Amino acid sequence: QLRLVESGGALVQAGASLRLFCTASGPALTNYHMGWFRKAPGKGREPVAAITADSGHIYYPDSMKGRFTISKNNDQNTVYLQMTNLKPEDTGTYYCAAHLSPYIQYALRSEDEYDNWGQGTQVTVSS
């Protein structure tokens, strides 16, 4: 059974950088598509970044492009989310998600496409 654990969330000031970690236990992530989502207070969960199993395709919403970077290290069984120039509106709980899909050739961007979720890590950005 795949288990995902997020870490790295913190309270930071606007303009700061932060790196989130999603460490998997159980099966290897080699054949898993991975995504990061976040839920801001009073809002629904929205996609932040997604990457295919082989890291060949990456998706970012327009609002995240240029600031957020997703990467996948199969040797460490870990997915990273590097965030820069953080803004107060980035505040929320960040979740890591996975879907076993070795043959899908595009990054999954909808939460309904993911089967496994971590418990989340809190990111708070003060102004």
Side-chain angles (χ1 to χ4, degrees), residues 35-112:
W36 284 97
F37 293 78
R38 71 185 182 192
K39 187 182 186 304
K43 297 183 178 180
R45 194 152 54 187
E46 64 175 340
V48 174
I51 189 168
T52 54
D54 62 357
S55 299
H57 299 274
I58 294 174
Y59 163 77
Y60 303 102
D62 289 340
S63 60
M64 317 298 177
K65 290 181 179 178
R67 296 194 302 121
F68 290 7
T69 302
I70 187 173
S71 60
K72 188 168 184 274
N73 189 319
N74 290 331
D75 291 335
Q76 297 180 358
N77 231 33
T78 301
V79 179
Y80 308 89
L81 181 67
Q82 179 68 46
M83 304 184 292
T84 62
N85 192 25
L86 285 166
K87 304 174 181 180
E89 51 262 42
D90 293 319
T91 293
T93 304
Y94 283 69
Y95 299 90
C96 177
H99 177 68
L100 183 61
S101 53
Y103 305 112
I104 297 177
Q105 306 265 282
Y106 55 91
L108 307 178
R109 63 185 68 182
S110 173
E111 63 177 314
D112 293 336

